[in-house]
């Protein structure tokens, strides 16, 4: 069975948001989408409602659909949830990861450092997700894996920008990745691995909060 027009419209919009073609604050005008892609208005409306439910867009009265901007509070809450889910998934996965898996994880981390050096946030974000997916790939709890995947997908755009919103966080993240791989390779206890993976995620939340507090202090002083 082929994709419906609503599914096709949804994938076009979601890809555009994820890749930055429709950036934060961008108005998604149905008439323009109809002209650009040759899909009628009804599938676009259905896809926009779906994207609104998933938290990607906001439908504003008299303005239409707008791609959501960075919402620190909502992002922080979701990151805290992901920290718990991914921490547990990483701990369950660790005993099943091979030496080749860990070697690949280190290679990905090195590529992240190179992406950081060349100021390529899109590549950095993609590699970061691949790194964490690899460390969770041995998790044999299908429901947990599905929950982690869903949160990763929803946060991907915001997560990618977060490292650049908090200067220094990206480099610290790379160092934490190395420490996490070291723990797994060294056969650390599951609760130690879980705590380290959870702390790694929460450190980004803390960095963003500190950056916002600093910016607020600066504007007050000015």
């Amino acid at each position: 069975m082929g994709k419906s027009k609503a599914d096709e419209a949804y994938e076009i919009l979601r890809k555009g948001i994820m890749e930055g073609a429709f950036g934060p604050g961008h108005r998604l005008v149905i008439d323009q989408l109809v002209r650009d892609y040759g899909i009628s208005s009804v599938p676009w409306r259905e896809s926009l409602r779906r994207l609104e439910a998933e938290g990607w867009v906001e439908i504003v009265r008299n303005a239409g659909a707008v791609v959501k901007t960075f919402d620190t509070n909502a992002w922080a809450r979701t990151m805290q949830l992901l920290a718990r889910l991914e921490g547990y998934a990483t701990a369950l996965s660790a005993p099943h990861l091979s030496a080749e898996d860990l070697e690949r994880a280190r290679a990905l981390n090195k590529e992240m450092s190179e992406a950081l050096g060349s100021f390529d946030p899109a590549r950095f974000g993609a590699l970061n997700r691949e790194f964490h997916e690899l460390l969770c790939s041995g998790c044999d709890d299908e429901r947990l894996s599905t929950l982690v995947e869903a949160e990763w997908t929803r946060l991907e755009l915001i997560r990618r920008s977060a490292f650049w919103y908090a200067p220094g966080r990206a480099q610290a993240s790379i160092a934490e990745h190395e420490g996490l791989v070291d723990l797994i390779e060294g056969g650390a206890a599951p609760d130690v691995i879980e705590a380290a993976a959870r702390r790694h995620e929460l450190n980004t939340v803390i960095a963003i909060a500190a950056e916002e507090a600093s910016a607020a202090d600066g504007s007050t002083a000015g």
Side-chain angles (χ1 to χ4, degrees):
M1 184 176 178
K3 294 178 184 175
S4 69
K5 288 296 182 182
D7 287 338
E8 185 179 344
Y10 168 82
E11 290 183 6
I12 289 170
L13 292 177
R14 185 175 173 281
K15 182 179 179 183
I17 294 171
M18 296 295 292
E19 295 182 350
F22 306 134
H26 182 93
R27 285 188 63 211
L28 297 167
V29 181
I30 289 178
D31 289 346
Q32 185 64 50
L33 292 168
V34 170
R35 290 192 293 271
D36 289 347
Y37 296 99
I39 299 174
S40 65
S41 60
V42 173
W44 291 116
R45 290 194 180 92
E46 290 180 15
S47 65
L48 287 171
R49 284 195 293 269
R50 181 175 171 185
L51 288 164
E52 182 185 34
E54 293 176 354
W56 293 103
V57 305
E58 181 179 8
I59 298 179
V60 182
R61 185 178 180 84
N62 299 323
V66 179
V67 178
K68 279 194 172 181
T69 56
F70 187 90
D71 182 340
T72 306
N73 291 331
W75 173 81
R77 288 193 298 270
T78 309
M79 280 292 291
Q80 288 162 0
L81 172 60
L82 181 62
R84 293 180 178 277
L85 294 173
E86 191 176 311
Y88 187 36
T90 303
L92 291 179
S93 173
H96 307 292
L97 296 176
S98 66
E100 289 75 17
D101 291 330
L102 298 181
E103 183 178 352
R104 174 59 182 157
R106 293 192 191 279
L108 287 169
N109 210 32
K110 182 178 179 181
E111 289 181 57
M112 285 178 64
S113 183
E114 293 168 356
L116 181 62
S118 59
F119 299 97
D120 188 345
R123 179 162 173 73
F124 186 97
L127 289 166
N128 187 52
R129 176 165 181 170
E130 189 176 349
F131 175 90
H132 286 281
E133 285 180 337
L134 176 58
L135 292 195
C136 291
S137 63
C139 176
D140 55 6
D141 185 326
E142 186 176 344
R143 174 61 176 161
L144 177 59
S145 297
T146 299
L147 290 171
V148 171
E149 174 70 19
E151 293 306 314
W152 260 102
T153 300
R154 194 158 72 87
L155 283 174
E156 193 167 59
L157 179 65
I158 300 175
R159 176 189 283 268
R160 192 162 58 219
S161 65
F163 289 106
W164 305 92
Y165 186 68
R169 176 57 198 147
Q171 195 64 56
S173 179
I174 290 170
E176 290 165 13
H177 283 175
E178 283 294 323
L180 193 52
V181 175
D182 286 343
L183 286 176
I184 295 171
E185 192 171 55
D191 60 334
V192 174
I193 294 171
E194 179 178 355
R198 182 184 300 173
R199 185 167 56 251
H200 167 65
E201 299 292 352
L202 292 177
N203 281 344
T204 300
V205 179
I206 293 168
I208 294 292
E211 185 65 22
E212 286 214 322
S214 177
D217 289 345
S219 64
T220 302

